[in-house]
Amino acid sequence: MAPNKVNVVYSTLLLIFTLVTICNSYVPTPRPNLSVSFTGPKKPNPPGPGICTLEVPTIDLLTEADKRGPIPVGNGTKPGHSIIQICCSGWKPKPHVALKCEPVCENGCVNGNCTAPNVCTCLPGNIRDLGNNCVPTCPKSCLNGICTLQGKCSCSVGYVPDPKEQYCIPSCIGGCGNGGNCTAPNVCSCSTGFTKHMVTGKCNFNCVGGCPTGTQCVGPNECSCPTGFVKRNNACEPMCPKGCVNGICTGPNTCTCQPGWNLDTTGTTCQAYCSQPCLNADCTAPNTCTCRKGYIKDPSPSAANRCLAHCPGGCLNGQCSAPNFCICNPGFVKAPGSSDCVRRVRRSSRSLHMELIPEQLE
């Protein structure tokens, strides 16, 4: 073979080897299960499963010696860039096979095949358990038990059959509560945001630092008041939506009156109590009578519960019987156009008829 042809073949093989090496080593690190984004105007069809394309600076594809010479134009959509094939996120280069990628199962794939990123397909004779693992089942074997002649699992002490009776799962008497999983006989493992109760061993919601007085931990780091309460000033207070006038809301829809007050029939208003009835007045506070409009307090010390009618102008020769209304004393009458009472003028019941008297008598 001519020397020039040998050099051409050698250069071609060297370029292919370089590209394969870059493909196998250039693995992106975006979030799992996300493919590398394409930068070209059109997304080409990948040549195989798990293979994506990436646009990189062309100079990164050259050896140190080639970087000192002219930089090739490249086949990228931007000047000085080239498109290469790499393994997509969730895939890795297949050992000893060029331009082939295989899926990655981060937690392994025992008794199964990793058929897609973090997807484990169980082998025949195996079944997926509650932890998403492939475990052997009858007639091959029975996890945490033995296979019977009927092809079902007979569980060991502390284990019970799964709903399909294909393997045995640990049993926790009384359950594991919120956010708990029974991982061994009577052993609960709590999920993130939950904590194990020291006495019952069950998992409950965990609120770091605890909850304010009266509140309850209803979720991971979530404090809430019970039904019928509302959170105010970092504490739970009862609610009385129907009202609690002159009283104190001591519980959900529970109005409590203070001493000297009585709850009315609606259960929403506290009414003042006066030991003596209020005359012409209203009981506005315990043993406190407030005069109605047009009335004033009786000045007598023994009549604190009584109010008298008030006539601003007074009642001369009479009595104030209602607000601004006078009744005249006996022998007095109302003066025309006035509220004053004046003495009644007496007139003779008989009058002389002069026309009937004879003239001679004169």
Side-chain angles (χ1 to χ4, degrees), residues 151-339:
K152 295 183 179 181
C153 287
S154 177
C155 299
S156 305
V157 177
Y159 294 85
V160 295
D162 76 295
K164 294 183 179 180
E165 297 186 352
Q166 294 178 311
Y167 62 97
C168 298
I169 57 178
S171 174
C172 292
I173 299 176
C176 287
N178 295 321
N181 293 317
C182 189
T183 54
N186 290 321
V187 176
C188 295
S189 296
C190 300
S191 304
T192 303
F194 297 83
T195 185
K196 186 179 294 186
H197 195 278
M198 299 300 296
V199 178
T200 63
K202 295 183 179 181
C203 297
N204 298 322
F205 296 116
N206 181 33
C207 293
V208 179
C211 287
T213 303
T215 62
Q216 297 177 343
C217 189
V218 297
N221 291 322
E222 181 183 355
C223 298
S224 179
C225 295
T227 302
F229 291 80
V230 63
K231 187 184 294 185
R232 290 193 183 97
N233 299 325
N234 212 26
C236 291
E237 296 181 3
M239 295 188 301
C240 293
K242 296 180 180 179
C244 183
V245 181
N246 299 324
I248 301 174
C249 186
T250 55
N253 286 318
T254 302
C255 187
T256 302
C257 298
Q258 298 179 355
W261 300 77
N262 293 329
L263 194 64
D264 67 354
T265 56
T266 65
T268 62
T269 302
C270 292
Q271 296 177 337
Y273 172 73
C274 293
S275 56
Q276 293 182 340
C278 293
L279 302 178
N280 300 320
D282 297 318
C283 185
T284 55
N287 290 322
T288 301
C289 294
T290 301
C291 296
R292 296 170 184 168
K293 185 178 180 180
Y295 293 85
I296 58 175
K297 280 282 189 180
D298 190 330
S300 175
S302 60
N305 64 315
R306 183 171 59 188
C307 293
L308 303 177
H310 177 57
C311 294
C315 286
L316 182 64
N317 300 319
Q319 302 293 329
C320 186
S321 61
N324 204 25
F325 184 80
C326 296
I327 294 181
C328 296
N329 294 332
F332 292 85
V333 295
K334 288 285 183 71
S338 173
S339 61

